[in-house]
Amino acid sequence: KRTLLPLLRDEISAFVFPCHLAVQRPELKHMVMELLRCIPLLLFLIFVCVLDHFIFSVLSIIQNHSFVQYSYQTSHHMAINVMGTSLMAQLLRSTIGALNASADIQVETSNLACLPKPRGMTREQYTNTCLPLITLALLCLAQVYPFRLRRVIASFYFPKREKTRVLFLYNKLLRQRKNFFQRQRRRIAWRARQPPGLGTSLLEWCHQHWPWLCRCRRRSCTLCETPGTSWNKVCSAPNCNALYCDRCW
C-alpha cells in the first residue's frame, strides 16, 4: 500500500504540528495579518500622544512667556488752611477744614488667573495608554496555540466529519505527491539531457585528477535539493551517482 510516511520536506511545511512550540508556516500568515490590523491603532495612538505633547508644549510656552504684571501707585493730599482769628475764619476752618484729605493708593495686578495651567502626562499614564495595544499584539502572537484546539473540538463533536476530512486530506496528499514526483522526474530528465557546462566539466576533471576534492564538494539531493549530509544515498545505477536524501530515497 502507498503510505504518506515519512513526509517530504515540502509537505512538512504545509502542516501544523500541535506539539511544536514554535510558530509554523501556515500559522505565520494569519499571525502577520492580525498584527497588520494593529498598525492603524498604533498609528492613531502615536498621533494622539504626539498631539497631546504638542498642545502641552504650546500651553507651557504661553504660560511661561505671557505673564504680565501691572503696578499702580498714586498719592492724594489736600489741605486748606484758613488764617485769622475772626469769627468768619473760625467758621471757615470748621466747615472747609473737613475737606482736608490724604490718601495713598497702591494696586498690583497680573493676568496669572487667565493663563493656562497645563499638566503633562506622566510616564505611568503613557504606559497605561499603550498597555491595551501591547496586550492586543501579544494576544495576536499567542492566538496560534488556542487555535490548534479547534480541530480537536470539532472532531469530538463531529467524528464522522473528522473521518471524512482525514480521508480527503490523505487522498489529496497522495495526488500531490504523485504530481510532485512526476514533475521532478521531468525536471531531472531535462537536466540530464542538457550538455554539461564549462564549470561542470572543469569540476568533473578536477575530481578525476584529485579525488580528495570530493570531500569538500557540497552536494544536494537530486529530488528535493536539500543540502547533502552523511546519511544521503547514492544511486546504484551505473554512470548515475545521483545523490538522494533519506526521505526521497
Side-chain angles (χ1 to χ4, degrees):
K1 294 182 180 180
R2 292 181 299 173
T3 60
L4 291 174
L5 296 177
L7 295 175
L8 298 178
R9 182 183 181 185
D10 293 337
E11 294 174 346
I12 291 178
S13 61
F15 279 91
V16 176
F17 296 91
C19 297
H20 290 184
L21 295 179
V23 179
Q24 300 164 56
R25 184 180 296 179
E27 301 171 326
L28 188 62
K29 179 180 179 181
H30 299 284
M31 186 183 68
V32 171
M33 292 301 297
E34 294 295 334
L35 290 177
L36 290 178
R37 293 177 182 176
C38 297
I39 292 180
L41 296 177
L42 177 61
L43 296 178
F44 176 74
L45 183 62
I46 294 175
F47 171 76
V48 171
C49 293
V50 171
L51 181 63
D52 174 79
H53 181 71
F54 174 74
I55 295 176
F56 170 74
S57 301
V58 172
L59 294 180
S60 298
I61 293 174
I62 294 175
Q63 182 187 20
N64 296 330
H65 298 279
S66 299
F67 177 73
V68 179
Q69 186 175 9
Y70 301 93
S71 180
Y72 176 75
Q73 185 176 4
T74 182
S75 297
H76 177 73
H77 298 281
M78 181 178 176
I80 299 176
N81 296 323
V82 179
M83 308 301 292
T85 57
S86 63
L87 180 62
M88 183 60 69
Q90 294 178 0
L91 182 61
L92 290 174
R93 278 196 295 269
S94 61
T95 54
I96 301 176
L99 299 176
N100 295 339
S102 178
D104 293 328
I105 301 174
Q106 184 175 359
V107 179
E108 292 185 358
T109 183
S110 64
N111 63 343
L112 182 61
C114 302
L115 293 178
K117 299 177 178 61
R119 291 184 300 174
M121 292 179 62
T122 61
R123 183 177 300 178
E124 182 180 0
Q125 291 174 337
Y126 278 113
T127 303
N128 294 334
T129 305
C130 300
L131 190 60
L133 185 60
I134 296 175
T135 305
L136 180 61
L138 293 178
L139 289 177
C140 293
L141 298 176
Q143 71 175 355
V144 295
Y145 301 105
F147 280 1
R148 294 178 183 179
L149 300 176
R150 293 180 296 178
R151 190 201 62 83
V152 179
I153 298 173
S155 63
F156 177 79
Y157 287 101
F158 306 99
K160 294 183 179 180
R161 172 64 66 178
E162 175 68 12
K163 183 178 180 180
T164 305
R165 293 179 68 251
V166 171
L167 291 176
F168 173 79
L169 179 62
Y170 183 82
N171 295 325
K172 177 184 176 182
L173 288 177
L174 283 179
R175 291 192 301 269
Q176 290 179 351
R177 182 172 294 188
K178 182 180 179 180
N179 296 332
F180 171 76
F181 283 122
Q182 291 177 355
R183 184 172 64 253
Q184 294 296 89
R185 187 180 294 110
R186 289 193 297 267
R187 183 182 63 84
I188 295 173
W190 177 80
R191 288 177 55 185
R193 288 192 297 267
Q194 298 297 320
L198 179 61
T200 305
S201 303
L202 181 61
L203 190 62
E204 293 296 336
W205 183 83
C206 293
H207 288 166
Q208 291 177 2
H209 288 76
W210 298 288
W212 55 272
L213 289 177
C214 296
R215 302 176 182 177
C216 304
R217 182 181 179 183
R218 184 177 178 85
R219 303 181 63 186
S220 58
C221 177
T222 308
L223 195 63
C224 64
E225 299 182 352
T226 305
T229 61
S230 58
W231 297 98
N232 284 358
K233 308 294 183 180
V234 180
C235 182
S236 57
N239 299 327
C240 182
N241 296 328
L243 193 68
Y244 296 94
C245 63
D246 281 350
R247 295 181 182 274
C248 296
W249 180 260

